[in-house]
Amino acid sequence: MNGGLLVAGTTSDAGKSVVTAGICRWLVRQGVKVAPFKAQNMSLNSFVTREGAEIGRAQAMQAQACRVEPTALMNPVLLKPGGEQSSQVVLLGRPVGELSARGYHGGRQQKLLGTVLDCLAELRGTYDAVICEGAGSPAEINLRRTDIVNMGIARNARLPVLVVGDIDRGGVFASFFGTVALLSPEDQELVAGFLVNKFRGDVSLLTPGLDMLRNLTGRRTYGVLPFRHGLGIDEEDGLRVSLRGTVRESAVAPPVGEDVLRVAVCAIPLMSNFTDVDALAAEPGVVVRFVDRPEELADADLAVIPGTRGTVRALQWLRERGLAEALVARAAEGRPVLGICGGFQILGEHIEDEVESREGHVAGLGILPVRVRFAPEKTLTRPEGEALGERVEGYEIHHGVASMEGGEPFLDGCRVGQTWGTHWHGSLESDGFRRAFLREVAAAAGRRFVPAPDTSFAALREEQLDRLGDLIEQHADTDALWRLIESGAPQGLPFIPPGAPA
């Protein structure tokens, strides 16, 4: 078998990432050697591979679904937004510069097509099947000329295309039809059919619409996936995270101790790797919320300042919102505060930034005795160490170089009282360390909270990935999907007018 498939979507957030992961997990359970691929990803949630390459966290999650080690080949181009107008371009795991959207789509993107196709070809030469994920919608006609992630990659690699639509948003039939009808005849030849995502209710009520859709487009629907809570793992774009509510659903199990533990995550601008707090939300009795007002910190047992692609901008935002003053007061009262990566830098005394914001010398919150200088080179590592008497693993993605001038050592950062700071992402996924940390937080907060003794974040992640595989196996036509991956799009698919404009 030397198969492939492109999972496209009618919109952003249609469910491409989780559907791709689900197909990958279903295939690997059939004994297929499979790999994920996304030619170009725009995300503030990233991961560091074993070889020290930065890729989107969604592709790292999909690699886990495939039970393979993630590599830079799986996400050759990563765009990390630095604001509304520009992004850092990460090529094959290494940053190569900042570009405006006009500069990128105006010529740079198309020059990367050869690199992207080479990476895909190398994966296809190594694995039985490669499941590719598109970006946004393939019907973004303003971007089609330079596209390297949707129909551009499908056409060059002759990949069949499955279009995913989120029916929970409404308008899914119009979205399916319109997506096909806005593609050129050559692109339409590769669109094999559709997959309905997040359906609630009786599927039989949907059947007449699916039949009409097939009559209108000549294309079948490969499955209707039911709505399931708690499957939004490792999303791509932190810019769209809600400022309210839980980050993830907390574990259904009741708390082990008498109290719950409340965690407030400051929803700073350009928030990156907010997935760091997933492991906290997985603990029974831990409630995690995003907050953007100082009064929302008042009843929190732990305040978290997460990573950001704009440390100075986030610091200014905290001051404008009154959150900076509230955080300083918390620390002075001995109430727990955790800063991760950019959040750690914000807690320091001084920031010298001629790289990210180019603001020069900026005063931090002054809670930790740390001075930060932004270096042109990005640190990309997978450190291991010990803290609170437990082994810890993590990964680092930052330009800021921190110099500690006091405090107790804490991972690569420091601790003063009940304020901790570290550049290490992912440290809370180490179960023993997380439990030890939560015990300290509970004691400082005066809560009778007890961490569950047997929560395994890795096992919970595996369960989630298996649930995604189950969705495909139970609610998709897997025989038809297998033929599609193995043999490509059916021949003779009809053209749906008007097609792409000239």
Side-chain angles (χ1 to χ4, degrees):
M1 182 180 185
N2 184 15
L5 176 69
L6 176 70
V7 179
T10 55
T11 61
S12 295
D13 291 334
K16 298 183 292 292
S17 294
V18 294
V19 167
T20 299
I23 293 173
C24 287
R25 178 49 63 102
W26 162 66
L27 283 173
V28 82
R29 294 197 303 208
Q30 311 309 307
V32 177
K33 187 180 179 184
V34 61
F37 179 79
K38 183 158 186 172
Q40 171 199 294
N41 195 346
M42 176 172 279
S43 179
L44 287 170
N45 286 334
S46 58
F47 183 76
V48 179
T49 67
R50 292 287 180 196
E51 70 267 31
E54 185 180 9
I55 66 172
R57 258 199 85 101
Q59 280 60 66
M61 176 268 292
Q62 291 161 356
Q64 186 176 349
C66 297
R67 298 184 177 134
V68 299
E69 191 68 34
T71 73
L73 293 174
M74 297 171 183
N75 179 207
V77 181
L78 173 64
L79 305 178
K80 302 195 72 175
E84 298 297 326
Q85 300 295 328
S86 67
S87 294
Q88 183 180 66
V89 181
V90 179
L91 178 62
L92 293 174
R94 297 289 173 180
V96 294
E98 297 271 343
L99 276 179
S100 67
R102 181 178 294 275
Y104 184 68
H105 292 288
R108 179 63 185 268
Q109 183 181 32
Q110 201 165 26
K111 292 177 182 178
L112 297 173
L113 180 61
T115 300
V116 162
L117 290 172
D118 287 346
C119 291
L120 177 57
E122 187 170 342
L123 288 175
R124 296 188 79 177
T126 306
Y127 293 88
D128 300 330
V130 178
I131 308 302
C132 308
E133 180 188 343
S137 163
E140 291 167 349
I141 54 180
N142 56 315
L143 303 177
R144 175 61 185 92
R145 181 178 61 84
T146 58
D147 171 50
I148 65 169
V149 65
N150 289 308
M151 299 313 299
I153 194 82
R155 282 270 293 279
N156 277 278
R158 302 306 299 170
L159 293 171
V161 179
L162 182 69
V163 180
V164 177
D166 180 357
I167 198 170
D168 199 46
R169 296 182 174 195
V172 74
F173 292 117
S175 298
F176 281 145
F177 183 88
T179 296
V180 179
L182 279 177
L183 301 179
S184 68
E186 295 81 5
D187 286 350
Q188 288 193 24
E189 288 176 3
L190 295 173
V191 178
F194 314 106
L195 187 76
V196 177
N197 191 29
K198 297 185 182 178
F199 180 72
R200 305 172 190 253
D202 186 347
V203 176
S204 66
L205 298 176
L206 196 64
T207 302
L210 300 178
D211 292 341
M212 285 185 274
L213 182 67
R214 183 161 191 169
N215 292 333
L216 286 166
T217 66
R219 290 159 174 84
R220 61 171 298 158
T221 297
Y222 283 77
V224 178
L225 307 185
F227 185 94
R228 290 287 187 268
H229 288 286
L231 294 181
I233 52 177
D234 290 5
E235 282 104 333
E236 292 185 345
D237 196 350
L239 292 175
R240 286 195 294 273
V241 171
S242 168
L243 299 182
R244 293 289 191 279
T246 57
V247 178
R248 296 286 189 272
E249 290 183 302
S250 296
V252 176
V256 175
E258 297 179 45
D259 289 343
V260 299
L261 207 64
R262 293 164 294 185
V263 179
V265 184
C266 297
I268 55 180
L270 299 174
M271 183 166 39
S272 62
N273 287 66
F274 62 87
T275 47
D276 281 329
V277 296
D278 283 0
L280 295 179
E283 283 284 349
V286 176
V287 180
V288 180
R289 295 177 299 156
F290 284 131
V291 303
D292 64 356
R293 295 180 298 186
E295 56 267 30
E296 293 174 306
L297 289 179
D299 66 347
D301 302 308
L302 170 66
V304 178
I305 312 175
T308 173
R309 252 279 284 158
T311 299
V312 171
R313 177 178 168 186
L315 179 57
Q316 292 168 343
W317 181 87
L318 288 168
R319 286 181 167 133
E320 290 166 0
R321 287 272 180 170
L323 284 160
E325 185 177 356
L327 287 164
V328 171
R330 278 187 69 93
E333 294 165 2
R335 302 180 66 198
V337 177
L338 172 65
I340 303 173
C341 200
F344 166 42
Q345 296 164 8
I346 285 169
L347 291 172
E349 296 174 346
H350 183 82
I351 298 170
E352 183 181 340
D353 182 11
E354 298 291 352
V355 175
E356 194 174 75
S357 68
R358 297 183 173 85
E359 291 286 337
H361 299 279
V362 178
L365 295 185
I367 300 173
L368 292 177
V370 175
R371 300 179 73 84
V372 177
R373 176 184 57 82
F374 275 69
E377 302 80 22
K378 181 184 279 191
T379 298
L380 296 168
T381 62
R382 291 276 293 269
E384 298 180 9
E386 184 175 308
L388 303 180
E390 300 286 347
R391 293 292 299 169
V392 190
E393 296 182 9
Y395 57 99
E396 295 185 53
I397 307 169
H398 54 92
H399 284 278
V401 178
S403 299
M404 268 61 69
E405 300 181 355
E408 301 175 45
F410 176 69
L411 301 177
D412 73 322
C414 69
R415 169 188 181 178
V416 173
Q418 297 302 322
T419 299
W420 295 265
T422 177
H423 276 128
W424 289 24
H425 294 290
S427 63
L428 294 167
E429 295 178 19
S430 297
D431 297 327
F433 167 71
R434 181 181 64 255
R435 286 192 278 269
F437 176 71
L438 288 176
R439 281 192 290 269
E440 291 235 0
V441 168
R447 297 289 178 189
R448 290 172 293 183
F449 168 85
V450 179
D454 54 355
T455 300
S456 167
F457 185 76
L460 289 172
R461 174 53 54 88
E462 277 296 302
E463 289 175 13
Q464 282 185 304
L465 293 172
D466 276 332
R467 289 173 67 197
L468 294 179
D470 292 342
L471 279 178
I472 298 299
E473 191 168 327
Q474 297 168 10
H475 300 283
D477 186 338
T478 52
D479 289 339
L481 198 57
W482 185 282
R483 289 193 298 272
L484 185 63
I485 294 169
E486 191 173 37
S487 305
Q491 297 295 308
L493 293 169
F495 170 71
I496 308 302

